[in-house]
């Protein structure tokens, strides 16, 4: 395993280096004092090169800083001609300094001018200096500069001198990161150099575009203490932290319950990395150079990041993310940094980067300032994605190494329409991005123009289009889009956004405001649907091997009847004299529906006895999400007024496919014969029982999928506000009868998907689908 951690200089025994360590610590401490001194960055750099030259008995010490993507500039020197400062520049790969920057390697030579990479810069006056030692300055896994010492006499610098300059370079890297060495007002391109533009790709989970500022949901720990005079104390701190890290990793592996197979092997390899002796040895060696435990971890982390990112070995490159994560976990044990961002004001347009997000974590962010989400994991039907869609926040998922590539404050151009994002984009990309935003705005204006037109097909089929909602702010979209009402109100999200469980009075107030705001338009309230990845922050949920199949939704409230009774009591009170539509989620067998109806009848009777005005009418519905219910469908339909197909969970259970697994997000297509046949059969049974049928999942939101649903007989869709205009335009351009006849043939095929056939049909028959932004618009930059 040792080769995977990069190379390091062999460290002599600590006992033989006492005077050297003391001198090294004194120099580091003096540099740190300069870092805190109230002087200009250029003055600080000038004094630092003087200190290094004096301490290392060097006739020259110079610091070169990377500017832009392709320039290294001499920023400070002791010994070379002063006029060369800010005038001598070179490209990566040009000269010894350029070679160090390009290859991130140390150069130690007794005769610089005979070195194959030597390049003469006459303005510096360096021709009289023969010996040369140069070390890269690292910042965030990138070479941000080079520090050099030179002497006239020909000699190879000793190992302890090389190591001393490496430690100084590590400290300079942290000072560059904090802004103490370069004035950003004078050298704005320095930030671009240390953080070059990057294009990352992923899965478009929620379409949309955003230009904003990167915010890391789990920011990397900051090191503020660098120097220690007590290596024994730092070693003890490190060993305690390593033990705590190994305990965390063991618990992670045991708790995952993956056993044998690929996923279990991956976690086991992760555990082995946490116990790697080579890593531990390098950390201890770094402490013996005078660094604190956390500074030692940071130094090894930076070296590892550079070496592995440049490796041609695919396995080592893939391990980089694991190694970086282990180092950050270890740093958290040492510096006590919280795992997640503390509540602070967001920038005006924040693009949040995270490995994954729970719905509660997403709701912690200011929705007025949240412009986009970038996830290393994520899927179309994960609940955080669903909430983001309700909030009209574009989401890009499955973005590998997003957290290691982005830094707080980076400018971000997010193009979730085409599954890409640009970190620190150039002006060309920003301009192209603004053109893309303009094209999207035109499409939105087209959708708004249909607001007052009815969703009736060309052959006279009328379709009800309602919105999904979760917050009072969602209700404004009903008027804006011309929706018929709210087809799915997710009551649990209000519970998740609070710090404590709401009382009956508080719930009543919430539901009353919803009903009042809708002004008589219908609203279907789904009862509490928590569990799985939707947890309440003030409740402790049991650990389950597969929470998606566990204690959640109706199962939970049947076992905790007071929860269902309180919520139904609040809904009944809020609907005094008005029609109440209530829907129970995740019904697996008819007896669960009967149990829920009995509780509803109990609460209605109690309201009458208390002299309260009951709802003018009560409609009861169920969600079809569990395939077992299909085999009791007729018995169920005898007991309900409406049925809603929750395609997200239904497809997950139908295909035995974890909807939160990004590897499987395209494995099974909703537009496949098994799914289409299921929907047609359910629609047929509902018509026979005169039960209203709606679809409220992801399928209703995607225009092509919505087209198929209408062709299969669905006449009631509940979707996101962003999809309303495009789905309405689609319905109005559709010949439902002709499409239905095509679908009758398609569901008989043994095909994996009929998506391409349906797309071709839409184009051939001039069905209005939303315009796609040109994919090459941003890729050309």
């Amino acid at each position: 395993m040792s080769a995977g951690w990069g190379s390091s200089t062999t460290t002599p025994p600590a006992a033989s280096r006492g005077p050297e360590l003391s001198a090294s610590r004194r120099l580091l401490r003096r540099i740190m004092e300069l870092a805190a001194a109230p002087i200009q960055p250029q003055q600080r750099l000038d004094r630092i090169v003087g200190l290094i030259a004096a301490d290392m008995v060097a006739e020259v010490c110079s610091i070169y800083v990377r500017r832009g993507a392709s320039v290294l500039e001499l920023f400070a020197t002791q010994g070379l001609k002063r006029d060369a400062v800010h005038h001598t520049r070179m490209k990566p790969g040009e000269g010894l300094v350029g070679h160090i920057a390009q290859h991130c390697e140390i150069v130690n030579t007794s005769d610089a001018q005979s070195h194959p990479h030597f390049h003469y810069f006459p303005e510096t006056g360096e021709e009289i200096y023969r010996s040369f030692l140069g070390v890269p300055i690292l910042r965030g896994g990138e070479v941000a500069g080079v520090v050099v010492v030179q002497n006239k006499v020909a000699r190879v610098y000793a190992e302890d001198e090389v190591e001393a300059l490496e430690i100084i370079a590590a400290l300079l890297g942290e000072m560059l990161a904090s802004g103490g060495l370069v004035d950003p007002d004078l050298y704005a391109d320095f930030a671009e150099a240390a953080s070059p533009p990057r294009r990352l790709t992923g899965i478009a989970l929620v379409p949309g575009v955003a230009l904003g500022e990167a915010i890391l949901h789990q920011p990397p720990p900051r090191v503020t203490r660098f120097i220690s005079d007590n290596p024994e104390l730092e070693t003890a701190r490190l060993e305690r932290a390593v033990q705590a890290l190994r305990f965390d990793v063991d618990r992670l592996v045991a708790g995952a319950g993956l056993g044998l197979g690929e996923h279990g092997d991956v976690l086991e390899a992760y555990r082995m990395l946490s116990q790697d002796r080579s890593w531990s040895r390098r950390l201890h060696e770094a402490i013996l150079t005078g660094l604190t435990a956390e500074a030692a971890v940071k130094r090894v982390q930076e070296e590892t990041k550079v070496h592995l990112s440049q490796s041609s070995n695919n396995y080592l490159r893939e391990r980089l993310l694991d190694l970086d994560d282990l180092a950050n976990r270890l740093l958290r044990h040492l510096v006590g940094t919280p795992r997640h961002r503390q509540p602070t004001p967001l920038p005006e347009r924040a693009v949040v980067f995270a490995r994954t997000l729970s719905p509660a974590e997403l709701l912690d962010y200011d929705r007025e300032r949240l412009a986009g989400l970038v996830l290393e994991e994520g899927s179309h039907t994960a609940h955080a994605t669903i909430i983001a869609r309700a909030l009209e926040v574009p989401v890009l998922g499955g973005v590998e190494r997003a957290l290691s590539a982005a830094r707080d404050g980076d400018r971000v151009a997010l193009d979730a329409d085409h599954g890409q994002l640009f970190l620190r984009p150039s002006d060309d990309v920003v301009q192209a991005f603004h053109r893309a935003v303009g094209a999207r705005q035109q499409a939105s204006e087209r959708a708004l123009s249909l607001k007052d037109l009815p969703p009736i097909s060309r052959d006279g089929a009328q379709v009800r289009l309602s919105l999904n909602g979760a917050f009072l702010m969602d209700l404004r979209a009903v008027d804006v889009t011309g929706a018929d009402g709210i087809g799915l109100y997710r009551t649990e999200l209000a519970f998740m956004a609070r710090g404590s469980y709401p009382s009956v009075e508080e719930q009543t107030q919430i539901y009353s405001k919803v009903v009042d705001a809708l002004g008589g338009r219908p609203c279907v309230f789904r009862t509490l649907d928590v569990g799985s990845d939707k947890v309440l922050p003030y409740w402790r949920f049991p650990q389950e091997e597969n929470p998606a199949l566990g204690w959640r939704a109706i199962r939970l409230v049947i076992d905790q009847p007071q929860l269902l009774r309180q919520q139904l009591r609040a809904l009944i009170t809020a609907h005094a004299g008005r029609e109440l539509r209530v829907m129970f989620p995740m019904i697996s067998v008819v007896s669960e529906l009967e149990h829920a109806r009995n509780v509803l009848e109990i609460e209605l009777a109690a309201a009458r006895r208390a002299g309260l005005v009951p709802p003018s009418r009560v409609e009861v519905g169920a969600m079809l999400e569990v395939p077992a219910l299909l085999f009791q469908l007729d018995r169920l339909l005898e007991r309900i007024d409406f049925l809603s197909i929750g395609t997200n969970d239904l497809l997950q259970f139908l295909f035995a496919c974890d909807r939160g697994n990004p590897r499987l997000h395209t494995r099974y297509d909703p537009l496949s014969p098994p799914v289409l046949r299921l929907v047609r059969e359910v629609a047929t049974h509902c018509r026979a029982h005169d039960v209203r049928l709606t679809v409220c999942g992801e399928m209703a939101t995607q225009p092509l999928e919505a087209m198929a649903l209408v062709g299969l007989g669905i006449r009631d869709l509940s979707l996101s506000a962003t999809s309303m205009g495009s789905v309405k335009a689609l319905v109005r351009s559709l010949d439902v009868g002709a499409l239905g006849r095509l679908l009758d043939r398609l569901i008989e095929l043994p095909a994996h998907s009929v998506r391409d056939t349906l797309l071709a049909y839409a184009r051939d028959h001039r069905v209005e689908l939303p315009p796609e932004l040109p994919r090459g618009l941003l890729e050309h930059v």
Side-chain angles (χ1 to χ4, degrees):
M1 300 294 294
S2 60
W5 294 97
S7 60
S8 68
T9 304
T10 302
T11 306
S16 67
R17 301 187 300 132
E20 299 162 9
L21 286 175
S22 298
S24 177
R25 292 193 190 102
R26 283 196 299 271
L27 174 58
L28 291 173
R29 185 164 284 110
R30 293 181 69 185
I31 294 175
M32 289 296 295
E33 290 170 355
L34 275 177
I39 56 178
Q40 293 298 313
Q42 187 62 54
Q43 292 177 288
R44 187 173 291 116
L45 269 175
D46 292 339
R47 294 188 188 181
I48 286 173
V49 293
L51 284 174
I52 297 171
D55 187 82
M56 297 190 67
V57 195
E59 291 159 297
V60 172
C61 177
S62 305
I63 294 177
Y64 297 80
V65 174
R66 192 163 189 161
R67 295 185 60 182
S70 58
V71 174
L72 284 152
E73 181 177 308
L74 177 63
F75 258 61
T77 187
Q78 172 73 36
L80 298 182
K81 292 181 180 180
R82 296 286 300 173
D83 291 345
V85 173
H86 296 304
H87 288 90
T88 296
R89 296 180 178 181
M90 62 210 67
K91 298 177 181 179
E94 183 181 9
L96 291 174
V97 171
H99 176 78
I100 293 168
Q102 185 175 54
H103 297 281
C104 189
E105 64 182 33
I106 296 170
V107 171
N108 182 4
T109 177
S110 61
D111 190 355
Q113 296 183 39
S114 65
H115 194 283
H117 295 288
F118 178 79
H119 182 88
Y120 179 49
F121 294 91
E123 71 274 14
T124 65
E126 65 177 340
E127 64 273 10
I128 62 175
Y129 303 103
R130 298 186 65 187
S131 56
F132 178 101
L133 172 61
V135 174
I137 300 171
L138 304 181
R139 175 191 175 197
E142 305 281 349
V143 177
V146 177
V147 58
V148 174
V149 292
Q150 295 173 268
N151 286 90
K152 292 179 182 177
V153 64
R155 71 184 185 92
V156 175
Y157 291 88
E159 281 188 358
D160 62 287
E161 293 175 302
V162 174
E163 184 168 337
L165 199 59
E166 282 188 278
I167 297 169
I168 292 167
L171 180 56
L172 293 175
E174 293 296 328
M175 294 174 70
L176 282 171
S178 65
L181 297 183
V182 176
D183 188 338
D185 294 330
L186 295 176
Y187 307 104
D189 55 354
F190 162 69
E192 298 172 8
S195 307
R198 292 190 63 178
R199 175 178 175 268
L200 303 176
T201 59
I203 305 162
L205 299 182
V206 178
V209 290
L211 186 65
E213 184 176 323
I215 294 295
L216 302 188
H217 177 64
Q218 186 177 325
R222 280 197 69 184
V223 176
T224 56
R225 289 179 61 250
F226 296 93
I227 309 162
S228 174
D229 290 321
N230 192 338
E232 292 80 12
L233 174 64
E234 298 303 324
T235 298
R237 291 181 61 228
L238 176 65
E239 289 177 351
R240 287 196 299 270
V242 168
Q243 288 301 317
L245 169 67
R246 290 172 178 170
F247 176 78
D248 286 351
V249 174
D250 287 344
R251 185 171 55 184
L252 172 69
V253 174
L258 293 176
L260 300 176
E262 181 184 4
H263 295 86
D265 291 345
V266 168
L267 282 181
E268 191 58 38
Y270 187 83
R271 172 167 35 200
M272 290 174 64
L273 287 175
S274 73
Q275 298 174 351
D276 182 63
R277 292 182 180 180
S278 172
W279 184 40
S280 178
R281 172 180 57 77
R282 294 186 63 209
L283 294 174
H284 282 83
E285 288 176 354
I287 286 176
L288 293 178
T289 64
L291 297 179
T292 61
E294 53 267 37
V297 173
K298 188 69 173 177
R299 176 184 168 187
V300 172
Q301 181 186 31
E302 290 283 6
E303 292 174 352
T304 301
K305 193 179 295 185
V306 168
H307 286 291
L308 292 192
S309 65
Q310 295 180 348
S311 173
S312 60
N313 185 304
N314 289 333
Y315 172 79
L316 294 182
R317 290 176 63 86
E318 289 302 318
R319 294 283 67 78
L320 173 60
L321 192 60
D322 290 342
L323 305 179
D324 208 38
D325 183 67
L326 282 171
N328 283 332
R329 286 173 181 264
L330 185 56
L331 282 171
R332 289 187 188 97
H333 283 292
L334 286 165
V335 303
T337 306
R339 280 193 59 80
H340 300 300
R341 172 176 295 276
Q342 297 302 294
T344 55
L346 290 177
E348 187 174 341
R349 301 280 296 170
V351 179
V352 173
F353 284 66
R355 178 159 302 191
T356 186
L357 273 181
S358 71
E361 289 170 336
L362 173 57
L363 293 172
D364 280 339
Y365 286 98
D366 183 346
R367 295 189 289 277
E368 298 297 325
R369 292 175 174 265
L370 184 60
L373 284 178
V374 177
L375 304 175
E376 290 187 343
E377 299 179 7
S379 71
H380 283 96
T381 51
H383 286 124
T385 305
I386 294 170
I387 294 173
R389 186 176 297 109
L391 300 176
E392 300 182 24
V393 174
V395 182
L396 190 65
V399 184
E400 293 185 0
R401 299 178 183 169
L403 290 173
S404 61
R407 299 178 182 87
D408 270 336
D410 279 348
R411 186 161 66 166
V412 180
L414 173 62
D415 174 21
D417 286 342
H418 296 127
Q420 61 184 346
L421 72 94
F422 296 83
L423 284 172
R424 305 171 288 273
S426 66
D427 291 340
D428 286 343
V429 171
V430 173
Q431 292 172 9
F433 193 82
H434 282 308
R435 292 196 296 272
V437 173
R440 187 176 183 82
Q441 183 62 33
Q442 290 178 3
S444 298
E445 291 170 0
R446 160 64 178 151
L448 286 175
S449 69
L450 302 176
K451 169 181 175 291
D452 297 320
L453 299 178
I456 300 176
S457 70
R458 288 194 289 118
D459 57 341
Q462 184 160 0
V463 181
R464 290 178 54 86
L465 299 180
S466 303
L467 295 184
N468 299 327
F471 303 100
L472 287 171
M473 63 179 287
D474 298 333
L475 305 183
R476 297 195 299 265
V478 174
D479 289 325
V480 172
T481 63
D484 288 312
I486 298 293
L488 170 64
Y489 194 89
R490 301 181 176 100
T491 62
E492 65 275 1
L493 296 188
F495 288 64
M496 294 165 63
R498 301 173 59 89
S500 60
Y501 193 86
S503 65
V504 174
E505 291 74 19
E506 289 170 328
Q507 292 184 57
T508 302
Q509 186 178 34
I510 294 171
Y511 305 145
S512 295
K513 288 181 178 178
V514 173
V515 177
D516 292 342
L518 288 172
R521 283 168 292 194
C523 179
V524 175
F525 288 88
R526 182 176 69 186
T527 58
L528 192 61
D529 184 10
V530 294
S532 187
D533 64 340
K534 292 187 289 186
V535 298
L536 304 181
Y538 38 83
W539 268 13
R540 177 172 295 179
F541 285 79
Q543 291 292 326
E544 297 180 292
E545 289 190 5
N546 193 339
L549 301 178
W551 196 54
R552 54 175 290 206
I554 196 68
R555 300 168 182 177
L556 187 151
V557 297
I558 285 177
D559 292 347
Q560 302 283 337
Q562 73 278 8
L563 303 180
L564 183 59
R565 293 193 62 172
Q566 289 174 5
Q567 184 173 33
L568 291 175
R569 193 177 309 155
L571 284 168
I572 290 168
T573 305
H575 285 80
R578 297 182 283 196
E579 182 176 298
L580 167 62
R581 296 184 182 187
V582 61
M583 179 167 64
F584 299 106
M586 204 176 173
I587 300 295
S588 301
V589 290
V590 170
S591 60
E592 290 176 338
L593 183 280
E594 290 182 326
H595 181 101
R597 286 204 69 141
N598 289 338
V599 175
L600 176 61
E601 292 299 331
I602 291 171
E603 288 300 324
L604 285 168
R608 295 187 188 96
R609 288 195 302 272
L612 300 178
V613 178
S616 60
R617 171 182 166 87
V618 178
E619 287 195 355
V620 175
M623 289 195 71
L624 175 57
E625 301 168 281
V626 181
L629 198 58
L630 293 168
F631 300 94
Q632 284 190 302
L633 190 57
D634 289 322
R635 303 291 79 76
L636 174 74
L637 295 175
E638 294 168 355
R639 293 163 169 80
I640 58 176
D641 301 293
F642 63 93
L643 180 69
S644 185
I645 301 178
T647 57
N648 300 337
D649 267 328
L650 180 60
L651 268 60
Q652 172 177 234
F653 301 146
L654 184 68
F655 290 119
C657 175
D658 180 2
R659 70 184 192 176
N661 187 333
R663 290 189 176 187
L664 300 177
H665 86 282
T666 58
R667 179 67 61 85
Y668 303 104
D669 194 339
L671 294 179
S672 63
V675 176
L676 301 180
R677 179 184 292 276
L678 185 156
V679 172
R680 188 184 67 172
E681 292 300 317
V682 172
T684 301
H685 281 263
C686 286
R687 282 195 298 273
H689 287 269
D690 195 24
V691 170
R692 188 171 70 255
L693 175 63
T694 185
V695 175
C696 63
E698 173 70 13
M699 281 187 74
T701 290
Q702 301 300 323
L704 194 63
E705 282 85 334
M707 181 186 83
L709 291 172
V710 172
L712 292 167
I714 304 297
R715 295 295 180 266
D716 200 329
L717 300 174
S718 187
L719 54 155
S720 66
T722 55
S723 300
M724 177 63 72
S726 57
V727 172
K728 181 182 286 189
L730 179 150
V731 170
R732 290 178 55 83
S733 65
L734 192 62
D735 183 331
V736 174
L739 175 61
R741 289 188 290 274
L742 171 66
L743 286 166
D744 286 342
R745 297 194 302 273
L746 293 181
I747 63 175
E748 300 298 332
L749 298 176
H752 172 263
S753 169
V754 296
R755 179 175 299 274
D756 290 343
T757 304
L758 288 172
L759 186 59
Y761 172 88
R763 289 169 177 166
D764 292 344
H765 292 77
R766 298 183 180 180
V767 176
E768 187 169 339
L769 292 174
E772 281 203 9
L773 298 177
R775 184 171 295 274
L777 182 63
L778 298 179
E779 288 182 350
H780 75 281
V781 182

